Amino acid sequence: MTPTTETTVGIGGAAESTDMVLNIGPQHPSTHGVLRLRLVLDGERITRAEPVIGYMHRGAEKLFEARDYRQIVMLANRHDWLSAFSNELGVVLAVERMLGMEVPERAVWMRTLLAELNRVLNHLMFLGSYPLELGGITPIFYAFTEREELQHVMEEISGGRMHYMFNRVGGLKEDLPAGWTDRARTTVSDVRSRMDRFDDLVLGNEIFRGRTRGVGVLTPQAVHAYGVSGPIARASGVDFDLRRDEPYLAYPELQDTLKVVTRQEGDCLARFECLLEQTHNALDLADACLDRLAALPPGPINQRLPKVLKAPEGHTYAWTENPLGINGYYLVSKGDKTPYRLKLRSASYNNIQVLTELLPGTLVADMVAILGSMFFVVGDIDK
């Protein structure tokens, strides 16, 4: 047997690792807005991550205190600009709960329908933009094609494309245009018929699966510790959805159609799969709402309100299953026409804080894949 010889070659100071601080943002293609990530690197590996927020802070919660109960809908409409209808909904539900007000049945079903259409619009944006961040250009064009179809329906009923301003305390702004439900049903059917593009083009892509499978695994323990919610939490096996577990609007009657989509892997791929499957289910829920609306007799779409609307003294908490997760509204009233305090619990704020635990130990090359799979809107973080 030939003896072997070991030779140690000195490499000087390079043997000692030197941490490097890297700023991603606040203006960066992977951050969905003005979010800054302060990363500490050891070579190509992230050792510490700190989300730096506040670049878009508008003080909406303070402005709530200077607007009456009709005007605050406009402020709440805008923090998650992809979920405007759902944002409005949580505010009016909180005010109606304070007033002890029951809204007409047609308004309940119409709100549920529009909330699900808004969910599809939100998810389509991320279904297109996430592959784009990983180098796949084509899906974003398909996503915007489907979004335009749905935007036409939402614009016809509300007059708005992004900020609908269609919810009112007591119901909705006005009744449906003639023939609108038939056009909405056709649009939902058309969008559903083309959703397999994302199943085939994205999930069937080996490069996409290679970049996302097993990357950025979020544990159920971290989900609970940071208050993560929505599709991100359900992708980690946390089976919780307010529409099923504490139903509101017409969801108690939609339990046979509602499907809470979960995965156990908790990685980037699981988060995308949850988002895509939830989009399919939102289209099914929209169809169910359209069927029920067609069966309802004509009736009012809102309640008559006094000229000056005042909520009784007290406090309440309303929460909704927004497209990106749980939104909560803690309303405190002193009996005036403006809220004494309205605290907003937005989904993106909690969802993005978990990056401090999720990013350390991963490679810089995987950072964009992880960040994109968190599905956040910066305005929803900063409020």
Side-chain angles (χ1 to χ4, degrees), residues 115-128:
E116 291 305 315
L117 292 179
N118 194 195
R119 193 180 308 277
V120 176
L121 280 167
N122 176 289
H123 290 356
L124 279 170
M125 177 62 79
F126 292 107
L127 292 174

Side-chain angles (χ1 to χ4, degrees), residues 110 113-114 117 153 156-157 176-184 290:
M110 195 64 215
L113 167 63
L114 294 175
L117 292 179
V153 170
E156 182 184 358
I157 194 173
L176 312 178
W180 182 88
T181 52
D182 292 333
R183 290 188 289 276
L290 286 165

Side-chain angles (χ1 to χ4, degrees), residues 36-142:
R36 175 182 164 208
L37 284 177
R38 187 177 181 274
L39 307 178
V40 179
L41 309 179
D42 181 4
E44 289 290 319
R45 200 165 293 278
I46 299 170
T47 60
R48 195 161 67 251
E50 177 191 359
V52 182
I53 65 174
Y55 291 94
M56 289 191 67
H57 181 57
R58 297 177 294 115
E61 290 179 340
K62 197 65 182 172
L63 291 172
F64 285 147
E65 301 170 15
R67 305 290 191 275
D68 67 34
Y69 288 107
R70 292 180 175 90
Q71 295 168 328
I72 60 175
V73 176
M74 180 274 296
L75 291 170
N77 184 287
R78 285 160 165 74
H79 56 88
D80 175 0
W81 46 77
L82 297 178
S83 309
F85 186 87
S86 301
N87 299 340
E88 302 170 11
L89 186 60
V91 171
V92 297
L93 287 175
V95 179
E96 288 163 3
R97 183 173 295 179
M98 286 287 286
L99 293 168
M101 179 182 291
E102 292 286 335
V103 302
E105 187 179 12
R106 290 184 70 241
V108 171
W109 281 97
M110 195 64 215
R111 280 177 171 180
T112 311
L113 167 63
L114 294 175
E116 291 305 315
L117 292 179
N118 194 195
R119 193 180 308 277
V120 176
L121 280 167
N122 176 289
H123 290 356
L124 279 170
M125 177 62 79
F126 292 107
L127 292 174
S129 66
Y130 185 42
L132 179 66
E133 289 162 358
L134 298 181
I137 299 173
T138 308
I140 191 71
F141 296 112
Y142 288 131

Side-chain angles (χ1 to χ4, degrees), residues 61 64 79 327-330 342-346 380 383:
E61 290 179 340
F64 285 147
H79 56 88
N327 266 31
Y329 304 84
Y330 179 59
L342 180 53
K343 174 71 175 72
L344 170 61
R345 186 262 191 225
S346 62
D380 201 37
K383 303 191 284 288

